[in-house]
Amino acid sequence: MTADTTEPEEYATGPAERRREQRGWYFYDFACSVYSTSVVTVFLGPYLTSVARAASDAEGFVHPLGIPVRAGSLFAYAVSASIIVAVLVMPLVGAVADRTGRKKPLLAAAAYLGAAATAGMFFLAGERYLLGTFLLIVANASLAVSMVLYNAYLPQIAEPDERDAVSSRGWAFGYTSGALVLVLNLVLYSGHDSFGLTEGEAIRICLASAGLWWGAFTIIPLRRLRDRHLPVDGGERTGSAGSGWRQLRATLKDMRRHPLTLSFLLAYLVYNDGVQTVISQASVFGSEELGLDQTTLITAVLLVQVLAVVGALGMGRLARTHGAKRTILGSLAVWTLILVAGYFLPADAPAFFFCLAAAIGLVLGGSQALSRSLFSHLVPRGKEAEYFSAYEMSDRGLSWLGPLVFGLAYQLTGSYRDAIISLVIFFVVGFALLARVPVRRAVEEAGNPLPERI
């Protein structure tokens, strides 16, 4: 592609063009959310654990690269490893995207690498736990990298007063696709005998179909989004990993001039790590500790998907009355109660598990949406893309810690109940850190207008 000699464009040229790109942008969430829901949250954790157990020794350990690992901890460790890989790759990809202005080819590469790895999970059978671990690491890291590129489009396709609505619609598209595909998964899995399939074959088809869905619907944003050649300091357009890390360090250095913004970011990173770990490990806890079957787990996650939309809207209304900070703090208290309830949840009791899933759904969407909205008030004007890029990088950089704590707790105790209760620390510490942030003063110090409720 030749360099564009016209004046660089930061936003789409008009309302009609913006709406066309926004509709295309929504569909990437529609495409990739199925992986997060069907693969990570529902099927892969219990299935990969069962494959690892089939390959384990008499004491229940597998030995990847000669390292003794409890079969029940393998999935959590693989999630942590995938995030570490993503953090190492994201600076390189971010530097190339920023310097060349060509996010779309990089988004395509990350999306289709992840989709191919997910589709390859069809071959995860027998004792192939190493194959499953490798495919999980590739797919999860690819998703993380693609989301950095996906989020970087938002400031370019939506003007400031449109971004909350556009971002929320993206979340809605993702929840919608997750619920739709889970219904199809439930039909296939629960009726696998009538389809002439074994339980393992039905699960592998559900895993692979998430990759096919991801790849197929990624075509829509790739057709509608367009690259922009933005100005670069010094006129250089060559990207490197070094320049990516330098850019991140420069942003973090600038954040030191806004310590209250940095304080909120730290609080968010801690409690969001807890949220992400609960979501990724809930199915393992349900199947291994509570003895619930796959149909129950699918139904529970479907309930979470539906109620997450309701919860996001409801918490949005609470925020208008009580402020975003107080509403988020309330949600963190609920998250803590959820973990305590999970610790005491009786085995073989689907009704209690459904109640827990309903509670998760009601706080999940709202706590994430309000956190992003609150952070947007703390970003200095004119530095939205820069700060949100660091937000995503920092988020991924710490989110390996929760799965690691969960895996270590199980490794040391052999109990998933102890593993799930160990996550309380993320919500308690996150609550304490957020409670100390004077958000009204933080908004003023960032140079932004103070909302009536914050």
Side-chain angles (χ1 to χ4, degrees):
M1 182 180 291
T2 59
D4 190 348
T5 58
T6 61
E7 183 179 352
E9 298 173 278
E10 186 176 356
Y11 303 103
T13 53
E17 180 64 21
R18 282 203 307 276
R19 283 194 296 271
R20 183 179 187 278
E21 287 198 85
Q22 288 165 8
R23 286 192 291 268
W25 187 79
Y26 301 148
F27 268 96
Y28 189 68
D29 219 324
F30 190 84
C32 70
S33 290
V34 171
Y35 167 82
S36 299
T37 303
S38 291
V39 176
V40 177
T41 306
V42 177
F43 287 109
L44 188 57
Y47 186 69
L48 181 58
T49 300
S50 70
V51 171
R53 286 218 165 97
S56 64
D57 59 22
E59 296 179 348
F61 286 82
V62 290
H63 300 268
L65 303 177
I67 303 170
V69 174
R70 275 190 187 270
S73 294
L74 182 69
F75 177 69
Y77 288 157
V79 171
S80 290
S82 71
I83 295 167
I84 293 171
V85 170
V87 169
L88 293 174
V89 173
M90 280 192 285
L92 172 61
V93 174
V96 173
D98 288 342
R99 297 294 177 175
T100 65
R102 301 190 67 196
K103 290 189 291 293
K104 189 157 67 171
L106 296 170
L107 175 61
Y112 283 109
L113 179 60
T118 306
M121 292 176 186
F122 178 79
F123 301 102
L124 179 56
E127 298 180 359
R128 298 176 180 172
Y129 76 93
L130 285 175
L131 174 64
T133 301
F134 172 74
L135 292 176
L136 169 59
I137 291 172
V138 172
N140 230 33
S142 297
L143 177 66
V145 171
S146 72
M147 289 305 295
V148 170
L149 298 162
Y150 167 72
N151 289 334
Y153 271 104
L154 181 58
Q156 297 178 354
I157 65 172
E159 293 187 354
D161 59 353
E162 298 177 313
R163 290 177 197 166
D164 286 345
V166 171
S167 179
S168 297
R169 291 187 197 112
W171 279 96
F173 266 61
Y175 284 129
T176 300
S177 71
L180 174 61
V181 174
L182 272 181
V183 171
L184 300 176
N185 290 160
L186 183 60
V187 171
L188 177 64
Y189 179 81
S190 60
H192 61 82
D193 288 334
S194 61
F195 291 108
L197 300 170
T198 66
E199 181 181 2
E201 287 171 341
I203 290 174
R204 290 190 286 119
I205 289 173
C206 290
L207 293 171
S209 65
L212 297 177
W213 181 285
W214 186 357
F217 284 99
T218 295
I219 294 173
I220 298 175
L222 293 179
R223 288 179 63 88
R224 293 200 172 188
L225 294 172
R226 60 193 180 90
D227 286 327
R228 293 156 174 82
H229 298 284
L230 299 177
V232 179
D233 292 340
E236 297 179 2
R237 289 192 175 275
T238 58
S240 69
S243 64
W245 284 109
R246 285 195 298 272
Q247 181 177 335
L248 178 61
R249 284 197 300 269
T251 302
L252 294 176
K253 184 177 179 180
D254 185 69
M255 281 186 172
R256 292 169 60 184
R257 298 172 49 241
H258 303 281
L260 298 181
T261 300
L262 200 55
S263 296
F264 170 80
L265 184 59
L266 177 61
Y268 168 75
L269 297 182
V270 173
Y271 68 73
N272 184 61
D273 196 10
V275 171
Q276 298 304 320
T277 307
V278 172
I279 297 304
S280 67
Q281 304 302 321
S283 60
V284 176
F285 176 75
S287 64
E288 299 296 321
E289 185 68 38
L290 303 181
L292 302 175
D293 59 35
Q294 199 71 53
T295 300
T296 299
L297 295 176
I298 295 171
T299 305
V301 175
L302 180 60
L303 183 63
V304 170
Q305 293 293 111
V306 173
L307 290 180
V309 179
V310 177
L313 295 175
M315 286 180 63
R317 291 187 176 182
L318 285 174
R320 287 199 294 270
T321 304
H322 302 288
K325 178 183 172 180
R326 289 182 179 177
T327 306
I328 295 170
L329 288 172
S331 76
L332 298 183
V334 174
W335 275 110
T336 302
L337 293 175
I338 287 171
L339 292 179
V340 173
Y343 180 82
F344 292 104
L345 209 63
D348 300 314
F352 288 104
F353 191 71
F354 289 146
C355 291
L356 207 65
I360 289 174
L362 289 173
V363 294
L364 174 62
S367 59
Q368 292 177 322
L370 290 179
S371 295
R372 180 166 58 183
S373 175
L374 181 54
F375 182 70
S376 71
H377 291 289
L378 311 183
V379 176
R381 192 173 301 177
K383 296 186 177 181
E384 292 85 0
E386 181 183 348
Y387 270 56
F388 270 105
S389 175
Y391 178 88
E392 182 70 21
M393 282 285 298
S394 302
D395 180 5
R396 299 293 177 179
L398 191 61
S399 56
W400 56 269
L401 186 57
L404 180 61
V405 168
F406 185 92
L408 285 173
Y410 180 78
Q411 175 99 0
L412 296 173
T413 67
S415 168
Y416 282 108
R417 292 185 187 273
D418 291 337
I420 203 74
I421 201 68
S422 70
L423 301 178
V424 166
I425 188 67
F426 291 93
F427 296 102
V428 172
V429 173
F431 183 101
L433 291 174
L434 178 59
R436 291 171 57 88
V437 179
V439 291
R440 297 182 72 85
R441 183 151 60 89
V443 173
E444 293 173 342
E445 290 187 3
N448 293 321
L450 191 63
E452 184 177 349
R453 296 281 183 181
I454 186 69

